[in-house]
Amino acid sequence: MNSSEEIAVSGMSAGRSAMRMGPAELVQAAAMARRFYLEGKSKIQIAEEFGVSRFKVARVLETALERDLVRIEIRVPAELDAERSDALRARYGLRHAVVVESPAEAEETPDPENLGEVAADLLGELVNEGDVLGLAWGRSTIHMAAALDRLPPCTVVQLTGVYDAGTAERGSVEAVRRAAQVSGGDAHPIYAPMLLPDAATAAALRHQTGIARAFEYFDKVTVACVSIGSWEPGISTVHDMLSDEERAHYASLGVAAEMSAHLFDAEGRRVGRDLGERCITVKADQLRRIPEVVAIAGGARKAAAIDAVLRSGLVTSLVTDTSAADVLMTAGTTPKSALNRSDPDGQ
């Protein structure tokens, strides 16, 4: 049954309270409701058509709602949780928050693939023609790029090196190529590992022609897509790339989360800044200046890390799942607005 049929039936077969209205009143109320809710006519236009005042139209429409002649339903796709999305957006002061139903069979799995699919649709909304889209390394951003089916013409740049240069064809390099192919724009991939043995090697790589060209776009990025990792094996790329001694060192600094090779404590303050000197990645201050930074991360195991990164002020929007959202809505003190993008370190 389509929506217009629903309103017509409601108008003619309402409950007992509505039957206190006479048949002429019922027919007129149903007609006015159809004009207003389905045909998009204004109250003034309806008043002119029926020869009554716009105040009479307003009263009739109000009565139609009160007496169940008109039923308004707000529907979103089943996999989206609109209530949690709005609550999470308000709690963290985000520009956009989209909460996806967690797969029942994999509630503890971080970053289920459907997050990438929803993020792909969100990017289709956020990216405008002529924008520069930045993609950081991460399983969720790779899933997102694979799901892309529409993007306006834009330039796509890789924001970090890869987890393993030998898997570039299946990772972030391919994600950048895929996004550029969909948009019809230029691609600027980075053929280099994210983490290098020392700062000198990283500095030398940054000056190589292809990598330097990609870095030139970092200050021009208008929309970025990033992933979030918690500080534990298999859920943080950076954690997995470090030695046991290095992991212990950064853990002693209170690291709770990582994003694009930047480390954060539970309050969203950056720690272990020396690690950045060894990494091929966009700078935190550059991320802070990007108008729209969308993080894709989910799963209850990542909730604390997501909370930490949101508190950093580097992210403006989030795609997550119900498992993470339920933890985030009860996590600690109310955070500052994510759109207050000042550095929590005060630096």
Side-chain angles (χ1 to χ4, degrees):
M1 178 180 293
N2 63 35
S3 55
S4 61
E5 291 171 335
E6 183 174 345
I7 282 186
V9 170
S10 297
M12 296 308 295
S13 60
R16 291 179 181 177
S17 61
M19 287 308 295
R20 295 170 188 167
M21 299 174 69
E25 290 176 301
L26 279 170
V27 170
Q28 184 183 69
M32 287 183 176
R34 188 177 297 108
R35 304 290 192 281
F36 185 74
Y37 291 107
L38 299 182
E39 299 174 13
K41 291 188 176 180
S42 70
K43 294 174 184 176
I44 293 176
Q45 289 174 314
I46 297 170
E48 290 175 350
E49 178 182 349
F50 287 87
V52 298
S53 72
R54 62 185 176 89
F55 301 106
K56 171 68 179 295
V57 174
R59 285 196 300 272
V60 170
L61 293 174
E62 184 178 349
T63 301
L65 285 171
E66 291 175 351
R67 298 192 177 188
D68 209 26
L69 283 113
V70 173
R71 299 177 184 178
I72 297 176
E73 295 184 5
I74 300 173
R75 295 179 180 179
V76 295
E79 69 270 16
L80 299 183
D81 191 310
E83 186 175 349
R84 283 185 175 92
S85 297
D86 189 55
L88 197 62
R89 179 200 57 76
R91 174 174 172 79
Y92 284 91
L94 293 162
R95 187 169 291 122
H96 303 283
V98 182
V99 178
V100 181
E101 193 70 34
S102 299
E105 70 280 4
E107 290 187 356
E108 294 305 311
T109 301
D111 304 337
E113 290 192 21
N114 62 337
L115 292 186
E117 296 168 3
V118 173
D121 287 340
L122 180 60
L123 281 190
E125 292 183 59
L126 299 181
V127 176
N128 296 306
E129 183 173 351
D131 275 348
V132 177
L133 172 62
L135 301 181
W137 195 95
R139 298 178 189 89
S140 56
T141 53
I142 292 170
H143 292 321
M144 180 277 300
L148 280 172
D149 60 9
R150 63 185 176 97
L151 271 181
C154 64
T155 299
V156 186
V157 60
Q158 192 170 322
L159 296 179
T160 64
V162 297
Y163 175 36
D164 179 353
T167 64
E169 292 302 315
R170 302 188 301 277
S172 47
V173 169
E174 180 55 30
V176 169
R177 287 175 173 167
R178 167 65 182 167
Q181 179 184 33
V182 172
S183 74
D186 294 333
H188 295 277
I190 293 177
Y191 296 95
M194 181 189 296
L195 179 66
L196 281 304
D198 52 66
T201 304
L205 275 178
R206 291 189 199 106
H207 287 91
Q208 288 190 357
T209 303
I211 298 173
R213 186 178 298 115
F215 269 56
E216 290 174 357
Y217 279 91
F218 286 1
D219 288 326
K220 303 174 185 177
V221 173
T222 50
V223 180
C225 191
V226 300
S227 297
I228 295 173
S230 54
W231 200 245
E232 55 181 304
I235 307 185
S236 165
T237 299
V238 174
H239 179 282
D240 292 346
M241 288 191 290
L242 296 173
S243 66
D244 290 341
E245 183 179 353
E246 289 170 325
R247 291 172 192 149
H249 165 66
Y250 291 117
S252 71
L253 301 179
V255 61
E258 61 94 356
M259 178 183 70
S260 303
H262 301 293
L263 309 182
F264 305 87
D265 68 11
E267 296 301 317
R269 296 180 293 255
R270 288 181 59 212
V271 297
R273 296 187 182 217
D274 60 304
L275 182 66
E277 297 175 5
R278 295 169 50 195
C279 292
I280 303 297
T281 185
V282 63
K283 295 179 180 178
D285 289 342
Q286 289 173 313
L287 278 172
R288 200 179 303 280
R289 292 193 294 270
I290 296 173
E292 185 73 79
V293 178
V294 180
I296 313 171
R301 291 174 65 187
K302 274 196 177 182
I306 297 169
D307 178 68
V309 172
L310 292 181
R311 290 173 184 271
S312 75
L314 294 179
V315 169
T316 61
S317 297
L318 174 69
V319 177
T320 190
D321 63 359
T322 52
S323 295
D326 287 344
V327 178
L328 290 169
M329 290 305 299
T330 58
T333 58
T334 302
K336 72 175 186 180
S337 169
L339 299 183
N340 174 7
R341 307 188 73 187
S342 59
D343 190 334
D345 298 339
Q347 299 177 16

